[in-house]
Structure formats: C-alpha cells, structure tokens
C-alpha cells in the first residue's frame, strides 16, 4: 500500500489552505506532519480521506484515485482518528469502537465483528473501559478509544489528527508507541499531524514540515528538524541536541522581527 | 494469547451480550404491553363490554369460527363486534400508528441533527401544518379544494416547511443551519397562523385551536382503498420504517460527528436530507389527520434512549413502541378522566409523559442528560 499525493490544493474563498502538496508515503511508514498552527495539517489529512474535497491535484492509493473509490470501500482502506470526539447522545465505549466495523456490517453484527472489536480493545489495553459511557472517559482514554475505532476498520492507511495534543505525557507516549507498533507489525501506513516536535522526532520514520500550505521540508527527522528549518518555518530560535541519533529540540526564544 | 487475557476478553463479550439482551427485552416488554393496553382501551365507552368480549370481538374478524363475544343483557354478539370494529378500534389503531410515527420521526430528527431538542415540531413542520389547517378553516382556501381541504392543506404546508429547511440549508447542510432554519420557519408560520386568527370569526378560531390540540377522533378505515386515514398512515409507515431501520448504522455513525461518519463511508449530506424529508413526511401524514399532537416526538426518543441507550438498531423500534404505548395510554386517559367528555389527546400526552420523563431524567447519573 503506497500513498501518493500530487499537487493537492484546497482553498476557502479568498484563502488558500493547501498550495500544491506533493509527497509519496511508503507502506508501513510512520509519517509525521508538523508545522505551525494554520498551515494546513488538518486540512491535508481531511483531504486524503475525502472528508474535504480538494480543489486540485489528487490522492492515489496504490494507483487508484481515492475520490473514485466507493465510500464504503474507502472506509475499509483508510481509517481516520479525529482530534476530538464531539459529545453527543451517550454511547458505551464498546458501541463506539464497534462503529468502526460499519463499512463491513450490513445490519447484523457478526461474530467476526465482535472478535475484531475485542482484539483491538485488548491491543490497546482498554478492557476495563469497554462498557463505560464514552462521555465519562478522560481525554487520554477517549483518544485510545478513537484509535481503536479506526483500527477496527482494518485500514491500510491510518490518519491521525493531533492525537496527543490533549494528553498527559504517559498517555502521549502510550498512544505513539501503539501507532508505531501497528505500523511495524501490520504494515499499516500511518500519517499523523502532530504539534510536538520531539514526539515526532522520536517516533516518526519521516516527517514533512508544512509552511503556508506548502511542504517546506520532508525527510527523516534528522534532515528536517534543523535549527535553520525551525527558525524559518516557526520563527523560533532553538537548539537541536542529539538524543540517541534522534534530534531533540530545545526552544530558546521567538525570533525578533 | 496469554491465559490471563482470555477470560477478560470473554467477560467483555459476555457483558456486551447481556447489554444486547436487555435492549431486546425492553422491546419485547413493550410488544406485550401494547396488546394488553389495546384490550383495556377497547372496553372503555358507553356500552359495557368486558375485556374478554373485547378480545373475542377483535379476534372474531380473523377467526370467525373460533372467537365470538358472548352476548350480554343489552348487546348481542354481532353488535359487540360492530361497536368494536367501527367505533373503538379505529381510534385505538390510529393512536398506535400515530404514536409510532411521531416518536420515530422525533428519534430520526434528533439523530440527524444531533440535537436533543429536535423534533418535527421544533423544525416548524407542525406550525406549518397548523397554518395550512387555519387557512382552510378561516379563509376556506387551499392548494387543493374539496372536502379534504383541511387535511390537504395541513399536509402540503408541512411539506413546504420541510422544503424550505432544505432550501435554506442547501449550501451547508450542517445540523446547526438546519435547526436554526427550522426555528425561523416555525416562527414565520406561527405568526401567519396568529394573523389568520386575528381576522377570523370566533367559531373559526375555536376550530383552529381545537385542531391544534390534536385528537384521534377523526380515525376511520373505509372498506375501500386507501382504507381511510388509518390505511394511509399505515402505508406511509410500512414504506418508511424499513428504510430507516436499514440506516440505523448510518444514524449511529452520525452521532460520532460528521467527519468520523464520512470516514466510515457514510454519505453524510445525503442521509441527513433524506432522513429529514422522511421524518417530515411521516409527521405530515399523521398530523394532517390528527392535528398537532405534540410531545410524543420530542420525549419518546429520550425516554427510550435513557433505558436502552443510543444504538439505533434498538432505539428506533423501541421508540416506535414507546410512542405507541404512550399515545394510546394518553388517549385512554383522555377518554375516561372526565367521561363522557373526551379531552383532546394532545393535552394529556404532556401531562402523562412529563412525570415519566422527569423521573428518568433525575435518575441519570450525569453524562449527557
């Protein structure tokens, strides 16, 4: 499973969000998307899953354009983990995760669907939560449930929109570790928009640094997370330390204009 | 798989299964209550008919050889059957069908708009129907003339309201736009109804007010197609309920947010518009005949959801039956409480439903409610 994004553009009236994004992502790669607020990370993720309709360019999944795929077929191949889950009518964690099987379910839930839910619950270690109301969970627990729901889709591509932004450090590490494990073990390609440069550096195989709707730099964390790149894209002076071969970013001060 | 995790997994599975069983049990209990309530409701009225005679008379129609109500001092067997089938059952059946339809429409509206206050009434469907009826009653005008002027007007204007909501939210079919458009439409039609009442004669205004209370008194099933208003409503329900049940998973997915629903393969805009029209259509077909029976559509989905949760596979059938039971019970009370006067059922639904609703609301341990 290979994902190719070519010349992708998206704009709201009078405001360009994505301006010709081109990138190729390899199978079982953990791909991080970093960049300041408002550079189009979330929009890019949504365009890949056709939640938003790009205005130009295309997203190819193994040579097929995603917009030509049947919606249900696409849902079997791409899983999406939103940044937040809106509060709605109460549902149990189990029912929330079971929803990930929707692309496979006609009306009846089969034994296989239940098995897949239970396996994912086990994988994420959230057995104790499974019959509690989703609305009563903490932020970290919710995020794990949302990851579980997407994994239940049996996707080949997993899209995650800043899954760690509201979590404490333990939950951050747990969620990142889970994603890393899944990409390695199941050959899933994961694309994650992420704010924390050090988490991106530590877990992602490659990162793309976005700036103003374009990709400013793409490559391994060592190549991308440099003092110069961060200064020009974020406007921040940093020191980059070497932490076991991975760059570790220490913010110093905003660049004076 | 380690030996420790196996029982844990099995325990979760077993617990989930027992959840499902509870939900099915709730639906089954309501399925039992409904015919019991029918039997009781059928004994009420000026002629004295026992519960057994009532069931016999009902079953007589299907198995004339096996069931025959025992004649009483005043009534012979045939009269009992006639009283039941021409006077009492139509009203009971209309109550059940209207309860099913209104509650279902409410549950669907709440699901697609993700709003606990949504019902066909909040969206102006009912006030548009009231305006159509007022137009017929006070000015005697309508889009289709003839003896069914009030019915046709109420139905047509209700569907016009649905169309307006659609047109107002065509660019962005977000739930918020639709709810606000619906509320605007509700105020518009209420104001227009008030203007009509302002110019109307006293008796006409009274008739309008009575129409807006809602009543099951106009129930009828003729012998020929389309079998009166009961036949029409039954057909509408038979056509729409299977579709809505099939879309249970889509309604569940909508609850997780539009973006998630899209990523799960749901055509969010399409399902929202289709379901909005279907819910409006069901409501319009019912209230055109009964007048605006409020409350059922708003509260039955909540009552059901509090008991069995928000999985629409169970919520939709459960809500239908809650609506049927609540409306039939309300009408039974309406017929007995100040007998021989019959109160409009629309008044009683709220008096009966509110205590139940508030009780369940207070029992909730927080969370959504």
């Amino acid at each position: 499973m290979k994902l190719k994004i070519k010349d992708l553009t998206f704009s709201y009236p009078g405001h360009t969000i994505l301006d010709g994004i081109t990138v190729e992502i390899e199978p079982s790669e953990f791909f991080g998307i970093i960049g300041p607020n408002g550079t189009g990370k979330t929009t890019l993720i949504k365009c890949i899953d056709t939640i938003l309709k790009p205005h130009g360019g295309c997203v190819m999944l193994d040579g097929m354009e995603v917009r030509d795929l049947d919606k249900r077929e696409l849902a079997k191949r791409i899983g999406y983990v939103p940044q937040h889950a809106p509060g709605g009518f109460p549902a149990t964690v189990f029912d929330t995760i079971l929803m990930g099987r929707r692309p496979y379910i006609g009306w009846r839930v089969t034994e296989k669907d239940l098995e897949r839910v239970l396996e994912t619950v086990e994988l994420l270690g959230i057995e104790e939560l499974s019959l509690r109301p989703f609305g009563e969970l903490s932020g970290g627990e919710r995020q794990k449930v949302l990851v579980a729901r997407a994994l239940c889709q049996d996707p080949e591509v997993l899209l995650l929109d800043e899954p760690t932004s509201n979590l404490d450090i333990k939950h951050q590490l747990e969620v990142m570790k889970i994603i890393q494990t899944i990409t390695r073990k199941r050959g899933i390609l994961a694309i994650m928009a992420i704010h924390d440069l050090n988490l991106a550096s530590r877990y992602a195989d490659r990162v793309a640094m976005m700036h103003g709707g374009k990709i400013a730099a793409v490559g391994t964390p060592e190549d991308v997370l440099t003092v110069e790149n961060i200064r020009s894209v974020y406007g921040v002076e940093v020191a980059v330390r070497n932490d076991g071969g991975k760059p570790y970013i220490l913010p110093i001060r905003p660049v004076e204009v | 798989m380690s030996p420790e995790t196996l029982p844990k997994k099995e325990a979760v599975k077993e617990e989930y299964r027992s959840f499902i069983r509870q939900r099915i049990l709730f639906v089954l209990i309501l399925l039992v209550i409904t015919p019991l309530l029918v039997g009781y409701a059928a004994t009420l009225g000026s002629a004295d008919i026992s519960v057994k005679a009532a069931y016999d008379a009902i079953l007589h129609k299907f198995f004339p050889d096996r069931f025959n109500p025992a004649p009483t001092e005043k009534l012979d067997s045939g009269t009992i059957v006639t009283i039941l089938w021409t006077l009492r059952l139509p009203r009971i059946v209309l109550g059940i069908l209207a309860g099913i339809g209104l509650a279902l429409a409410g549950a669907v509206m709440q699901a697609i708009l993700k709003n606990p206050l949504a019902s066909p009434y909040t969206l102006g469907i009912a006030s548009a129907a009231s305006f159509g009826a007022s137009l017929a009653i006070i000015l005697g005008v309508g889009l289709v003339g003839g003896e069914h002027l009030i019915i046709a007007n109420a139905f047509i204007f209700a569907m016009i309201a649905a169309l307006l909501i659609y047109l107002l939210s065509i660019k962005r079919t977000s739930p918020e736009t639709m709810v606000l458009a619906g509320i605007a439409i509700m105020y518009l039609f209420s104001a227009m109804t008030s203007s009509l009442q302002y110019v109307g004669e006293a008796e006409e205004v009274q008739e309008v007010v009575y129409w807006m209370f809602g009543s099951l008194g106009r129930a009828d099933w003729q012998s020929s197609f389309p079998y009166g208003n009961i036949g029409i409503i039954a057909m509408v329900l038979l056509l729409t309920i299977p579709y809505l049940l099939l879309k249970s998973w889509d309604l569940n997915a909508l609850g997780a947010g539009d973006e998630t629903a899209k990523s799960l393969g749901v055509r969010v805009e399409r399902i929202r518009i289709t379901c909005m029209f279907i819910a409006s259509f069901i409501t319009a077909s019912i209230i055109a005949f009964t007048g605006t029976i409020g409350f059922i559509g708003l509260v039955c989905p909540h009552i059901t959801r509090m008991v069995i949760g928000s999985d629409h596979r169970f919520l939709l059938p459960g809500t239908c039956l809650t609506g049927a039971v609540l409306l039939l019970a309300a009408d039974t009370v309406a017929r007995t409480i100040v007998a021989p006067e019959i109160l409009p059922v629309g008044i009683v639904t709220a008096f009966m439903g509110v205590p139940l609703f508030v009780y369940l609301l207070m029992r909730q341990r927080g969370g959504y409610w």
Side-chain angles (χ1 to χ4, degrees):
Chain A
M1 178 60 42
K2 192 170 179 172
L3 190 82
K4 269 191 205 175
I5 301 172
K6 208 172 154 197
D7 274 332
L8 202 70
T9 57
F10 183 88
S11 54
Y12 289 113
H15 190 54
T16 304
I17 308 288
L18 297 181
D19 187 8
I21 301 282
T22 300
V23 66
E24 281 187 26
I25 303 162
E26 300 294 326
S28 70
E29 188 171 11
F30 189 164
F31 192 83
I33 303 174
I34 54 176
N37 289 330
T39 44
K41 300 189 292 293
T42 297
T43 309
L44 176 58
I45 290 226
K46 288 183 184 171
C47 281
I48 294 173
D49 203 11
T50 69
I51 294 169
L52 292 173
K53 301 248 176 314
H55 298 135
C58 60
V59 179
M60 313 275 282
L61 200 58
D62 267 351
M64 296 268 289
E65 280 210 45
V66 291
R67 63 164 174 250
D68 295 336
L69 284 171
D70 174 64
K71 293 275 165 214
R72 195 180 274 262
E73 208 46 49
L74 186 65
K76 291 178 185 173
R77 304 179 72 172
I78 303 187
Y80 166 74
V81 181
Q83 199 168 352
H84 304 286
F89 296 110
T92 63
V93 166
F94 196 99
D95 281 335
T96 306
I97 299 175
L98 183 62
M99 204 113 72
R101 298 299 296 172
R102 189 258 169 203
Y104 300 90
I105 291 173
W107 195 86
R108 259 188 77 86
V109 175
T110 63
E111 196 62 25
K112 188 181 172 209
D113 296 316
L114 289 182
E115 276 303 318
R116 294 294 296 117
V117 172
L118 290 169
E119 277 168 37
T120 330
V121 163
E122 204 175 19
L123 177 72
L124 296 189
I126 49 176
E127 289 96 334
E128 270 75 25
L129 305 178
S130 54
L131 291 162
R132 281 179 51 195
F134 178 72
E136 289 180 8
L137 306 184
S138 74
E141 292 167 338
R142 281 185 199 207
Q143 204 60 52
K144 285 185 184 171
V145 172
L146 297 182
V147 171
R149 181 174 67 200
L151 284 178
C152 255
Q153 284 172 251
D154 281 338
E156 297 155 48
V157 176
L158 190 62
L159 303 170
L160 304 108
D161 192 0
E162 294 180 20
T164 56
S165 48
N166 294 317
L167 308 187
D168 61 43
I169 47 172
K170 178 160 183 267
H171 279 109
Q172 285 184 356
L173 295 178
E174 282 176 359
V175 168
M176 295 303 280
K177 188 74 206 160
I178 288 163
I179 307 297
Q180 191 181 47
T181 313
I182 292 161
T183 55
R184 305 249 158 98
K185 274 197 189 157
R186 298 201 195 168
I188 292 179
L189 180 169
I191 303 176
M192 180 189 283
I194 183 164
H195 261 301
D196 190 316
L197 299 180
N198 290 320
L199 280 182
S201 160
R202 193 154 150 198
Y203 289 97
D205 298 317
R206 280 198 305 156
V207 293
M209 189 184 273
M210 289 183 67
H211 190 215
K214 291 182 162 73
I215 292 183
V218 62
T220 59
E222 301 93 280
D223 293 340
V224 174
L225 294 168
T226 60
V227 174
E228 297 73 32
N229 280 343
I230 295 173
R231 187 193 299 128
S232 72
V233 168
Y234 285 86
V236 171
E237 287 293 347
V238 297
V240 177
R241 302 276 157 80
N242 185 332
D243 174 35
K246 300 276 186 187
Y248 184 80
I249 317 296
L250 281 173
I252 299 172
R253 61 179 168 271
V255 175
E256 306 291 334
V257 185
Chain B
M1 198 178 292
S2 68
E4 271 175 314
T5 53
L6 186 72
K8 218 182 202 176
K9 200 167 132 184
E10 287 307 311
V12 171
K13 201 166 171 181
E14 193 36 54
E15 224 177 322
Y16 178 73
R17 288 239 165 82
S18 94
F19 250 54
I20 296 284
R21 279 196 293 274
Q22 280 172 29
R23 294 166 182 176
I24 294 172
L25 186 66
F26 176 80
V27 174
L28 288 181
I29 288 172
L30 286 174
L31 271 177
V32 173
I33 291 178
T34 315
L36 291 179
L37 203 53
V38 170
Y40 177 67
T43 63
L44 301 173
S46 48
D48 246 338
I49 296 173
S50 69
V51 177
K52 174 153 188 343
Y55 280 122
D56 282 340
I58 294 169
L59 292 169
H60 176 77
K61 209 57 163 192
F62 306 105
F63 312 99
D65 306 330
R66 302 236 336 247
F67 296 95
N68 223 350
T72 62
E73 286 164 32
K74 292 179 193 153
L75 307 161
D76 63 43
S77 176
T79 317
I80 294 177
V81 172
T82 311
I83 290 177
L84 253 289
W85 279 90
T86 55
L87 295 175
R88 295 189 184 170
L89 275 185
R91 190 185 179 100
I92 291 170
V93 173
L94 181 62
I96 291 175
L97 294 180
I100 290 176
L102 293 173
L104 179 66
V108 170
M109 289 276 186
Q110 287 172 10
I112 56 172
L113 300 175
K114 287 180 278 181
N115 190 319
L117 295 177
S119 80
Y121 290 70
T122 344
L123 288 190
I125 310 290
S127 51
S130 300
F131 172 72
S134 313
L135 208 58
I137 294 167
I138 294 173
L139 299 183
V141 296
L143 301 172
V144 190
E147 49 173 334
H148 301 305
L149 187 62
I150 299 178
I151 295 166
N153 258 18
F155 179 81
I156 289 166
F157 276 90
M159 291 314 288
I160 288 178
L163 191 65
L164 283 175
I165 296 168
Y166 170 65
L167 292 174
L168 288 172
S169 51
I170 198 166
K171 274 204 153 165
R172 260 178 63 82
T173 53
S174 76
E176 294 80 10
T177 325
M178 281 171 94
V179 170
L180 288 175
I183 288 175
I185 286 160
M186 180 187 78
Y187 275 105
L188 175 71
F189 280 110
S190 301
M192 295 203 300
T193 307
S194 301
S195 337
L196 283 179
Q197 291 180 338
Y198 186 69
V199 301
E201 301 288 334
E203 309 89 76
E204 293 162 353
V205 173
Q206 199 186 356
E207 203 188 328
V208 169
V209 170
Y210 195 82
W211 189 90
M212 284 162 68
F213 283 149
S215 152
L216 299 174
R218 290 177 281 267
D220 85 283
W221 45 26
Q222 291 151 5
S223 52
S224 63
F225 191 82
Y227 312 110
N229 49 30
I230 292 176
I232 293 174
I233 294 172
M235 276 182 269
V236 167
L237 292 178
L238 280 176
L239 285 175
T240 50
I241 288 178
Y243 176 83
L244 293 172
L245 287 180
L246 274 178
K247 296 291 170 191
S248 296
W249 280 102
D250 289 8
L251 296 178
N252 286 348
L254 278 180
D258 282 12
E259 286 157 3
T260 301
K262 279 185 191 176
S263 77
L264 292 172
V266 178
R267 292 166 181 274
V268 171
E269 279 87 9
R270 186 190 289 183
I271 193 93
R272 186 165 282 139
I273 290 295
T274 321
C275 284
M276 197 267 294
F277 268 108
I278 289 177
S280 306
F281 182 67
I282 294 174
T283 312
S285 325
I286 292 168
I287 63 179
F289 296 112
T290 62
T292 52
I293 300 173
F295 196 71
I296 297 276
L298 178 67
V299 158
C300 288
H302 284 294
I303 291 176
T304 317
R305 210 179 277 120
M306 286 172 189
V307 181
I308 60 170
S310 344
D311 184 341
H312 286 82
R313 286 180 298 154
F314 305 99
L315 179 62
L316 293 183
T319 303
C320 287
L321 292 172
T322 314
V325 168
L326 189 61
L327 189 54
L328 184 55
D331 191 53
T332 308
V333 171
R335 283 163 60 200
T336 46
I337 196 156
V338 287
E341 280 292 306
I342 298 177
L343 283 179
V345 69
I347 296 177
V348 184
T349 44
F351 277 123
M352 292 200 32
V354 169
L356 177 61
F357 181 58
V358 170
Y359 165 72
L360 287 169
L361 193 61
M362 293 299 124
R363 259 191 47 201
Q364 298 296 316
R365 49 179 172 151
Y368 189 80
W369 284 282

